Amino acid sequence: MTSAPVPPTTDGFSTRAIHAGQDPEATTGAVAVPIYQTSTFAQDVAGETRAGYDYSRAGNPTRTALEVALADLEGGRSGHAFASGMAAADAAVRAMLRPGDHLIIPNDAYGGTFRLIDKIGVPWGLTYTEVPLSDLDAVAAAMTDRTKLIWCETPTNPLLGISDIAGLAGLAHDRGARLVVDNTFATPYLQLPLALGADVVLHSTTKYIGGHSDVIGGALVTADAELGEDFAFHAKSMGGVAGPFDAWLTLRGLKTLAVRMDRHCDNADAVADMLSEHPKVGRVYFPGLSTHPGHHVAAGQMSRFGGMVSFTVRGGREEAVKVCSRTRLFTLAESLGGVESLIEHPGLMTHASVAGTGLEVPDDLIRLSVGIEDLDDLLADLTDALA
Ligand SMILES: *Cc1c(COP(=O)(O)O)cnc(C)c1O
């Protein structure tokens, strides 16, 4: 069912992030891809476009540059850039499923994904089962004749759970289903789901790919030509595409993804180590720790462990809320993946919408998006906030 990913060029990751789809512009030689801020494109003869573009909902050269670069970095055949991660998720659900179909979602799915499936997908006719995706037996047991999709996030948000992408792809394909991997937390720099057998990679490019907390965006990448056509058709028909300026900002962020991720990973490793030793901290959720139940699988499918660290504090919810408002550098805010460090209380913020469901998170949990500031400053900030 899956076609093999197109082999990337022999160029390294950063070379492709900076050059794939981004040749200097033909007429003027502009080195940065121009922001083609236009809705429509002149035709010389009715029905004959100059470069394949007729209307920017269907296609825009700035968006194309981003799509080509993302497809290249993920080892896919086609990329599709959307106005947000959720617009990408919506297009994936509608393109890959039909009313009556069943899908499997992680029992700690991103809150917005859960809401999309539960509040939009179910009234549309889908059924779903929440499963701890780290448990392949549980996934196999939850699959029915109607299961058409396994929706995977790894690492998950906010508990940093790890699931075995190759194992899930095998289960899906054995039963005629497909696997979508939300690769937002890992990025293609740390993990390549298509090479592990996934059919589709989804991104909230708002996060690490954009990387500067200044743009909302999403993307789908696939190596399957037919799925790629379906995604392009859904993007054009549903219209939730990335605008030219948003695509440009995202592309600018993408160029430095590797250097930023290296630093995010360095800082997160050190923050997780510090928290693990701290008397006020209960449990630390970070796949880089050898005590993490998914450490072994993560080490096998990721090159490093990413920049997200969650932990519980002694003293319950009240203390967790206090710690979140005591940091000076870690800004109390939703979102993640930007250069600046963020702190949040998932139970009251990003995951408030899953309270009372199977996806509820511990109320003494704090999630950090560890930024790329100087490590000593970050460690001091957290130490002070926990004191
Ligand atoms: C943020 C996020 C999304 C949704 O993306 P938006 O760009 O906010 O629409 C989906 N999945 C994960 C893992 C996310 O962190």
CSV table of all heavy atoms in Angstrom, one decimal, residues 83-89 109-113 151 153 155-157 182-185 202-207 215-218 335-336 367, ligand 1:
chain,number,residue,atom,x,y,z
A,83,ALA,N,-3.1,26.2,6.6
A,83,ALA,CA,-3.2,27.4,7.4
A,83,ALA,C,-2.9,27.1,8.9
A,83,ALA,O,-2.6,28.0,9.6
A,83,ALA,CB,-4.5,28.1,7.3
A,84,SER,N,-3.0,25.9,9.3
A,84,SER,CA,-2.7,25.5,10.7
A,84,SER,C,-2.5,24.0,10.7
A,84,SER,O,-2.9,23.3,9.7
A,84,SER,CB,-3.8,25.9,11.6
A,84,SER,OG,-5.0,25.1,11.4
A,85,GLY,N,-2.0,23.5,11.8
A,85,GLY,CA,-1.9,22.1,12.0
A,85,GLY,C,-3.2,21.4,12.0
A,85,GLY,O,-3.4,20.3,11.4
A,86,MET,N,-4.2,22.1,12.6
A,86,MET,CA,-5.6,21.5,12.6
A,86,MET,C,-6.2,21.4,11.2
A,86,MET,O,-6.9,20.5,10.9
A,86,MET,CB,-6.5,22.2,13.6
A,86,MET,CG,-6.1,22.0,15.1
A,86,MET,SD,-5.5,20.4,15.6
A,86,MET,CE,-6.8,19.4,15.1
A,87,ALA,N,-5.9,22.4,10.4
A,87,ALA,CA,-6.4,22.4,9.0
A,87,ALA,C,-5.8,21.2,8.3
A,87,ALA,O,-6.5,20.5,7.5
A,87,ALA,CB,-6.1,23.7,8.3
A,88,ALA,N,-4.5,20.9,8.6
A,88,ALA,CA,-3.9,19.8,7.9
A,88,ALA,C,-4.5,18.5,8.5
A,88,ALA,O,-4.8,17.5,7.7
A,88,ALA,CB,-2.4,19.8,8.3
A,89,ALA,N,-4.8,18.4,9.8
A,89,ALA,CA,-5.4,17.2,10.4
A,89,ALA,C,-6.8,17.0,9.8
A,89,ALA,O,-7.2,15.9,9.4
A,89,ALA,CB,-5.5,17.4,11.9
A,109,ALA,N,-3.7,12.0,23.1
A,109,ALA,CA,-3.6,12.8,21.9
A,109,ALA,C,-3.5,14.3,22.2
A,109,ALA,O,-4.0,14.7,23.2
A,109,ALA,CB,-4.8,12.5,21.0
A,110,TYR,N,-2.9,15.0,21.3
A,110,TYR,CA,-3.0,16.5,21.3
A,110,TYR,C,-4.5,16.9,21.5
A,110,TYR,O,-5.3,16.3,20.7
A,110,TYR,CB,-2.4,17.0,20.0
A,110,TYR,CG,-2.5,18.5,19.9
A,110,TYR,CD1,-1.8,19.4,20.7
A,110,TYR,CD2,-3.4,19.1,19.0
A,110,TYR,CE1,-2.0,20.8,20.6
A,110,TYR,CE2,-3.6,20.5,18.9
A,110,TYR,CZ,-2.9,21.3,19.7
A,110,TYR,OH,-3.0,22.6,19.6
A,111,GLY,N,-4.8,17.8,22.4
A,111,GLY,CA,-6.1,18.1,22.7
A,111,GLY,C,-7.0,18.5,21.5
A,111,GLY,O,-8.1,18.2,21.3
A,112,GLY,N,-6.3,19.3,20.6
A,112,GLY,CA,-7.0,19.8,19.4
A,112,GLY,C,-7.4,18.6,18.4
A,112,GLY,O,-8.4,18.6,17.8
A,113,THR,N,-6.5,17.7,18.4
A,113,THR,CA,-6.7,16.5,17.5
A,113,THR,C,-7.9,15.7,18.1
A,113,THR,O,-8.8,15.3,17.3
A,113,THR,CB,-5.5,15.6,17.4
A,113,THR,OG1,-4.4,16.4,16.9
A,113,THR,CG2,-5.7,14.4,16.6
A,151,TRP,N,-3.9,6.8,14.1
A,151,TRP,CA,-3.4,8.2,14.2
A,151,TRP,C,-2.4,8.2,15.4
A,151,TRP,O,-2.7,7.9,16.5
A,151,TRP,CB,-4.5,9.1,14.6
A,151,TRP,CG,-4.1,10.6,14.5
A,151,TRP,CD1,-3.4,11.3,15.4
A,151,TRP,CD2,-4.4,11.5,13.4
A,151,TRP,NE1,-3.2,12.6,14.9
A,151,TRP,CE2,-3.8,12.7,13.7
A,151,TRP,CE3,-5.1,11.3,12.2
A,151,TRP,CZ2,-3.9,13.8,12.9
A,151,TRP,CZ3,-5.2,12.4,11.4
A,151,TRP,CH2,-4.6,13.7,11.7
A,153,GLU,N,0.9,9.9,17.5
A,153,GLU,CA,1.8,11.0,17.8
A,153,GLU,C,3.0,10.4,18.6
A,153,GLU,O,2.7,9.6,19.5
A,153,GLU,CB,1.2,12.0,18.8
A,153,GLU,CG,0.2,13.0,18.3
A,153,GLU,CD,-0.4,13.8,19.4
A,153,GLU,OE1,0.2,14.2,20.4
A,153,GLU,OE2,-1.7,13.9,19.3
A,155,PRO,N,7.0,11.8,20.0
A,155,PRO,CA,6.5,11.7,21.3
A,155,PRO,C,5.1,12.4,21.4
A,155,PRO,O,4.8,13.3,20.6
A,155,PRO,CB,7.6,12.5,22.1
A,155,PRO,CG,8.8,12.6,21.3
A,155,PRO,CD,8.3,12.5,19.9
A,156,THR,N,4.4,12.0,22.5
A,156,THR,CA,3.0,12.6,22.6
A,156,THR,C,3.1,13.9,23.5
A,156,THR,O,4.1,14.1,24.2
A,156,THR,CB,2.1,11.6,23.3
A,156,THR,OG1,2.6,11.2,24.6
A,156,THR,CG2,1.8,10.4,22.4
A,157,ASN,N,2.0,14.6,23.4
A,157,ASN,CA,1.8,15.8,24.1
A,157,ASN,C,0.7,15.7,25.1
A,157,ASN,O,-0.4,15.3,24.7
A,157,ASN,CB,1.4,16.8,23.0
A,157,ASN,CG,1.2,18.2,23.5
A,157,ASN,OD1,1.5,18.5,24.6
A,157,ASN,ND2,0.5,19.0,22.7
A,182,ASP,N,1.9,12.2,13.6
A,182,ASP,CA,2.1,13.6,13.9
A,182,ASP,C,3.5,13.8,14.3
A,182,ASP,O,3.8,13.3,15.5
A,182,ASP,CB,1.0,14.0,14.9
A,182,ASP,CG,1.1,15.5,15.3
A,182,ASP,OD1,2.2,16.1,15.1
A,182,ASP,OD2,0.1,16.0,15.8
A,183,ASN,N,4.3,14.3,13.5
A,183,ASN,CA,5.8,14.4,13.7
A,183,ASN,C,6.2,15.8,14.3
A,183,ASN,O,7.3,16.2,14.2
A,183,ASN,CB,6.5,14.1,12.4
A,183,ASN,CG,7.9,13.6,12.7
A,183,ASN,OD1,8.2,13.0,13.7
A,183,ASN,ND2,8.8,13.8,11.7
A,184,THR,N,5.2,16.5,14.8
A,184,THR,CA,5.4,17.9,15.3
A,184,THR,C,6.5,18.0,16.4
A,184,THR,O,7.4,18.9,16.3
A,184,THR,CB,4.1,18.5,15.9
A,184,THR,OG1,3.1,18.5,14.8
A,184,THR,CG2,4.3,19.9,16.4
A,185,PHE,N,6.5,17.1,17.3
A,185,PHE,CA,7.5,17.2,18.4
A,185,PHE,C,8.9,16.8,18.0
A,185,PHE,O,9.9,17.4,18.4
A,185,PHE,CB,7.0,16.3,19.6
A,185,PHE,CG,6.1,16.9,20.6
A,185,PHE,CD1,5.1,17.8,20.1
A,185,PHE,CD2,6.2,16.7,21.9
A,185,PHE,CE1,4.2,18.4,21.0
A,185,PHE,CE2,5.3,17.3,22.8
A,185,PHE,CZ,4.3,18.1,22.4
A,202,LEU,N,2.2,14.3,9.6
A,202,LEU,CA,1.5,15.6,9.8
A,202,LEU,C,2.4,16.5,10.6
A,202,LEU,O,3.1,16.0,11.5
A,202,LEU,CB,0.2,15.3,10.5
A,202,LEU,CG,-0.6,16.6,10.9
A,202,LEU,CD1,-2.1,16.3,10.7
A,202,LEU,CD2,-0.4,17.0,12.3
A,203,HIS,N,2.4,17.8,10.4
A,203,HIS,CA,3.1,18.8,11.2
A,203,HIS,C,2.2,19.9,11.6
A,203,HIS,O,1.4,20.4,10.7
A,203,HIS,CB,4.3,19.4,10.4
A,203,HIS,CG,5.5,18.5,10.5
A,203,HIS,ND1,6.2,18.3,11.6
A,203,HIS,CD2,6.0,17.8,9.5
A,203,HIS,CE1,7.2,17.5,11.3
A,203,HIS,NE2,7.1,17.1,10.1
A,204,SER,N,2.3,20.4,12.8
A,204,SER,CA,2.0,21.7,13.1
A,204,SER,C,3.3,22.5,12.9
A,204,SER,O,4.2,22.4,13.7
A,204,SER,CB,1.5,21.9,14.6
A,204,SER,OG,1.4,23.2,14.9
A,205,THR,N,3.4,23.2,11.8
A,205,THR,CA,4.6,23.9,11.5
A,205,THR,C,4.7,25.1,12.4
A,205,THR,O,5.8,25.8,12.4
A,205,THR,CB,4.7,24.3,10.0
A,205,THR,OG1,3.5,25.1,9.7
A,205,THR,CG2,4.8,23.1,9.1
A,206,THR,N,3.6,25.4,13.1
A,206,THR,CA,3.6,26.5,14.1
A,206,THR,C,4.8,26.3,15.1
A,206,THR,O,5.2,27.3,15.7
A,206,THR,CB,2.3,26.4,14.9
A,206,THR,OG1,1.2,26.4,13.9
A,206,THR,CG2,2.1,27.5,15.8
A,207,LYS,N,5.1,25.0,15.3
A,207,LYS,CA,6.0,24.7,16.4
A,207,LYS,C,7.5,24.8,16.0
A,207,LYS,O,7.9,25.8,15.6
A,207,LYS,CB,5.6,23.3,17.0
A,207,LYS,CG,4.1,23.2,17.2
A,207,LYS,CD,3.5,24.1,18.2
A,207,LYS,CE,2.0,24.2,18.2
A,207,LYS,NZ,1.3,22.9,18.3
A,215,VAL,N,4.1,32.4,13.6
A,215,VAL,CA,3.2,32.0,12.5
A,215,VAL,C,2.5,30.7,12.8
A,215,VAL,O,3.1,29.8,13.5
A,215,VAL,CB,4.0,31.9,11.2
A,215,VAL,CG1,5.1,30.9,11.2
A,215,VAL,CG2,3.1,31.7,10.0
A,216,ILE,N,1.3,30.6,12.4
A,216,ILE,CA,0.5,29.4,12.5
A,216,ILE,C,0.5,28.7,11.2
A,216,ILE,O,0.3,29.3,10.2
A,216,ILE,CB,-1.0,29.7,12.9
A,216,ILE,CG1,-1.1,30.4,14.3
A,216,ILE,CG2,-1.8,28.4,12.9
A,216,ILE,CD1,-1.0,29.5,15.5
A,217,GLY,N,0.8,27.4,11.2
A,217,GLY,CA,0.8,26.6,9.9
A,217,GLY,C,0.8,25.1,10.2
A,217,GLY,O,1.0,24.6,11.3
A,218,GLY,N,0.4,24.4,9.1
A,218,GLY,CA,0.4,22.9,9.2
A,218,GLY,C,0.8,22.3,7.9
A,218,GLY,O,0.9,23.0,6.9
A,335,SER,N,1.5,26.6,23.4
A,335,SER,CA,2.4,26.4,22.2
A,335,SER,C,3.8,26.0,22.7
A,335,SER,O,4.0,25.8,23.9
A,335,SER,CB,2.5,27.6,21.3
A,335,SER,OG,2.9,27.2,20.1
A,336,LEU,N,4.6,25.7,21.7
A,336,LEU,CA,5.9,25.1,21.9
A,336,LEU,C,6.8,25.2,20.7
A,336,LEU,O,6.3,25.6,19.6
A,336,LEU,CB,5.7,23.6,22.3
A,336,LEU,CG,5.0,22.8,21.2
A,336,LEU,CD1,6.0,21.8,20.5
A,336,LEU,CD2,3.8,22.0,21.8
A,367,ARG,N,4.4,21.4,31.8
A,367,ARG,CA,5.1,21.1,30.5
A,367,ARG,C,6.0,22.3,30.1
A,367,ARG,O,5.6,23.4,30.2
A,367,ARG,CB,4.0,20.9,29.4
A,367,ARG,CG,4.7,20.4,28.1
A,367,ARG,CD,3.7,20.4,26.9
A,367,ARG,NE,3.5,21.8,26.4
A,367,ARG,CZ,2.7,22.1,25.4
A,367,ARG,NH1,1.9,21.1,24.8
A,367,ARG,NH2,2.5,23.3,25.0
B,1,LIG,C1,0.0,22.4,18.0
B,1,LIG,C2,-0.2,21.0,17.6
B,1,LIG,C3,-1.2,20.7,16.7
B,1,LIG,C4,-2.1,21.7,16.0
B,1,LIG,O1,-1.5,22.6,15.3
B,1,LIG,P1,-2.0,24.1,15.1
B,1,LIG,O2,-0.9,24.7,14.2
B,1,LIG,O3,-2.0,24.8,16.4
B,1,LIG,O4,-3.3,24.1,14.4
B,1,LIG,C5,-1.2,19.3,16.3
B,1,LIG,N1,-0.4,18.4,16.9
B,1,LIG,C6,0.5,18.7,17.8
B,1,LIG,C7,1.3,17.6,18.4
B,1,LIG,C8,0.6,20.0,18.2
B,1,LIG,O5,1.5,20.3,19.1
